[in-house]
Amino acid sequence: MHFGLTEEQEFFRTAVSDTVERMIMPHVEKIDETDEFPTELWKEFTALGYLGLRYPEELGGMAADPVTAMIFYEEIARGSVGFAQAVIMNTLMGTHFLYRFGSPEIKERCFMPAIRGEKIATICFTEDQSGSDVANTRTLAKKVEGGWVLNGTKNWITNGPIADVATVLATTDPALGMKGLNFFLVEKGTKGFSPGQTIHKIGARGPVTGELVFEDVFVPDENLLGAEAGRGAEYLGEILDEVRCMTGAMALGIARAAFDDALEYARKREAFGKPIGEYQLIRAKFADMATEMEASRLMVYQTAWMLGEGLPTRKIAAMTKMFATETCLKVVDEVTRIYGANGFAQEYGPQRYFRDARFLLYGGGTHEILRNFIGREIVVGR
Ligand SMILES: Cc1cc2nc3c(=O)[nH]c(=O)nc-3n(C[C@H](O)[C@H](O)[C@H](O)COP(=O)(O)OP(=O)(O)OC[C@H]3O[C@@H](n4cnc5c(N)ncnc54)[C@H](O)[C@@H]3O)c2cc1C
């Protein structure tokens, strides 16, 4: 067994971490306060080429292995969760289907500009009546001469209102459930495609999140992203483990940021004549947080390694997402306690970690859905 990172991976972590400190950290509070997309920071950061992290070099990517990708997600979430959310959307789900199924023209026109940061990409599953229950998707794709006509409304779309390229889940026939689902590319400027209401989020602020509306939107045949109609759910299943592991890595990054702040605070803040970090009950909190974060770290990087080796990851990826997220939620809660009343103040970091961490609960599967899934795998098998 070998648990270490390679020299390149260690070097990569240092490079990303330094970039996060230098470029992103100075903007964290402003991004959270204004909840506006940080356009200048986006330009500066995306010029570094990280958005192409997991794609081949010949398309402008970095051809990084999954372990390296998780290092990136962990480090950037340690900086700003909101900004990380926007960056990771362009790095992973917003571009994955364009890369996998896009024609050479689509790759040239949409995919490559998206991994250069010149176009904002997004993925659209969620609708008012279908979040976890994607089989209940109602956005309809009707076959017509030369293409498809889409009608429906998507909700909770990260970067949706400002997206240039959207990968949209639609059904060709709601009665078919999972077997009717397909992904379509819809580009900004297409007739009938428009942003709807914006959502005001309590955390993970910065990316604009909201509705996207499709009214008789015509897309040509080549915008069906997949070999044939009806296989969308299968394609989604193929990327889900990576997405869940990524969420675990983000959870680890947020937990680390909160933990490090609390450690500094506990060493300085005095009560009853000595730093609070000298009291056993406070040390116990650090001991428990560090232990569970270590377990999260092992799970995230083991799963990433398994993804790279092409091993089955369905169950471990779900466990990783759930465990690392629950650990992160515990850590951010404990950190607000270590800060005392200052944990309740807008001026200090803990309230932001507390709000931001909750964002991890939803994407990649809620924990009720994941527990159902893991339990079924264990009890019934596949
Ligand atoms: C910040 C943020 C960004 C997002 N970005 C995107 C995006 O870019 N694109 C996108 O498509 N979506 C996005 N989403 C939406 C996200 O994918 C959904 O929130 C998620 O799929 C869960 O769906 P839901 O919120 O509708 O909850 P529901 O599915 O309505 O669930 C509500 C509750 O019921 C529980 N539940 C549901 N079914 C079961 C069951 N069978 N057994 C037990 N309990 C159950 C759930 O666990 C949950 O507790 C985003 C959400 C957030 C918060």
Side-chain angles (χ1 to χ4, degrees):
M1 281 183 116
H2 178 62
F3 284 105
L5 297 178
T6 64
E7 214 174 296
E8 289 80 23
Q9 287 162 344
E10 293 282 11
F11 181 79
F12 180 79
R13 185 187 288 281
T14 306
V16 179
S17 176
D18 288 351
T19 306
V20 166
E21 296 284 339
R22 179 176 50 83
M23 205 182 268
I24 301 177
M25 290 300 206
H27 302 283
V28 170
E29 276 155 26
K30 187 160 178 246
I31 294 171
D32 180 53
E33 265 166 41
T34 59
D35 197 12
E36 282 168 10
F37 187 81
T39 308
E40 287 310 311
L41 175 61
W42 175 264
K43 281 188 199 149
E44 199 188 348
F45 183 80
T46 57
L48 301 175
Y50 287 123
L51 300 188
L53 188 70
R54 56 190 288 285
Y55 297 115
E57 284 170 351
E58 58 272 24
L59 292 178
M62 293 170 93
D65 60 88
V67 169
T68 303
M70 295 310 147
I71 292 172
F72 178 73
Y73 305 139
E74 180 190 339
E75 291 299 328
I76 190 165
R78 187 178 66 79
S80 158
V81 180
F83 189 63
Q85 208 188 145
V87 164
I88 296 171
M89 180 56 86
N90 262 53
T91 312
L92 184 52
M93 285 301 264
T95 46
H96 173 77
F97 294 96
L98 305 178
Y99 162 66
R100 188 143 178 234
F101 298 112
S103 63
E105 294 73 29
I106 286 176
K107 285 200 177 72
E108 188 72 36
R109 195 174 69 242
C110 301
F111 169 78
M112 287 161 75
I115 65 165
R116 289 196 296 263
E118 294 156 12
K119 288 198 172 183
I120 305 272
T122 194
I123 187 91
C124 315
F125 307 111
T126 308
E127 299 177 11
D128 280 348
Q129 79 299 328
S130 61
S132 310
D133 184 12
V134 284
N136 200 24
T137 295
R138 287 290 173 270
T139 295
L140 197 65
K142 190 165 176 272
K143 185 76 190 90
V144 293
E145 180 70 33
W148 299 82
V149 173
L150 270 60
N151 275 289
T153 301
K154 294 288 176 181
N155 205 352
W156 275 104
I157 306 306
T158 301
N159 284 342
I162 56 166
D164 299 297
V165 287
T167 300
V168 182
L169 189 72
T171 177
T172 50
D173 178 357
L176 293 176
M178 285 298 213
K179 292 206 158 62
L181 299 177
N182 305 279
F183 288 102
F184 296 89
L185 161 65
V186 180
E187 291 172 72
K188 191 176 188 168
T190 310
K191 194 164 166 266
F193 174 44
S194 61
Q197 279 196 333
T198 298
I199 295 168
H200 302 288
K201 307 188 297 288
I202 63 161
R205 303 174 85 204
V208 194
T209 306
E211 285 182 337
L212 283 178
V213 181
F214 305 85
E215 285 171 321
D216 289 330
V217 174
F218 172 80
V219 293
D221 279 326
E222 67 158 4
N223 287 30
L224 169 68
L225 299 171
E228 58 191 82
R231 294 182 61 188
E234 180 191 324
Y235 299 140
L236 177 60
E238 288 165 12
I239 182 78
L240 215 47
D241 295 357
E242 193 178 332
V243 170
R244 287 176 174 163
C245 190
M246 172 275 288
T247 312
M250 287 185 82
L252 186 55
I254 301 170
R256 267 180 59 207
F259 181 97
D260 290 349
D261 276 9
L263 193 56
E264 204 183 317
Y265 191 82
R267 282 174 175 154
K268 283 195 193 138
R269 169 78 183 176
E270 293 197 1
F272 302 99
K274 57 183 181 178
I276 57 169
E278 290 191 21
Y279 292 105
Q280 276 191 338
L281 285 175
I282 298 291
R283 286 189 179 175
K285 290 184 193 299
F286 283 106
D288 291 348
M289 290 190 290
T291 305
E292 292 190 37
M293 283 162 61
E294 195 56 41
S296 295
R297 183 175 294 118
L298 287 171
M299 289 184 86
V300 166
Y301 288 99
Q302 183 201 351
T303 305
W305 173 80
M306 288 172 73
L307 284 165
E309 294 293 306
L311 296 168
T313 46
R314 199 37 67 91
K315 189 171 66 187
I316 187 74
M319 289 170 160
T320 299
K321 192 263 164 169
M322 188 171 76
F323 184 84
T325 298
E326 292 293 347
T327 296
C328 178
L329 291 172
K330 270 195 230 168
V331 169
V332 297
D333 180 43
E334 285 294 21
V335 167
T336 61
R337 294 168 199 243
I338 291 167
Y339 263 75
N342 288 338
F344 202 58
Q346 202 77 42
E347 288 75 13
Y348 289 86
Q351 48 79 30
R352 179 166 43 79
Y353 302 127
F354 191 84
R355 288 182 286 109
D356 281 352
R358 304 204 65 78
F359 140 78
L360 303 164
L361 277 169
Y362 315 103
T366 65
H367 295 188
E368 291 75 18
I369 294 293
L370 295 182
R371 276 201 172 88
N372 273 343
F373 171 75
I374 297 164
R376 194 177 65 232
E377 289 271 308
I378 293 168
V379 178
V380 185
R382 288 181 74 79

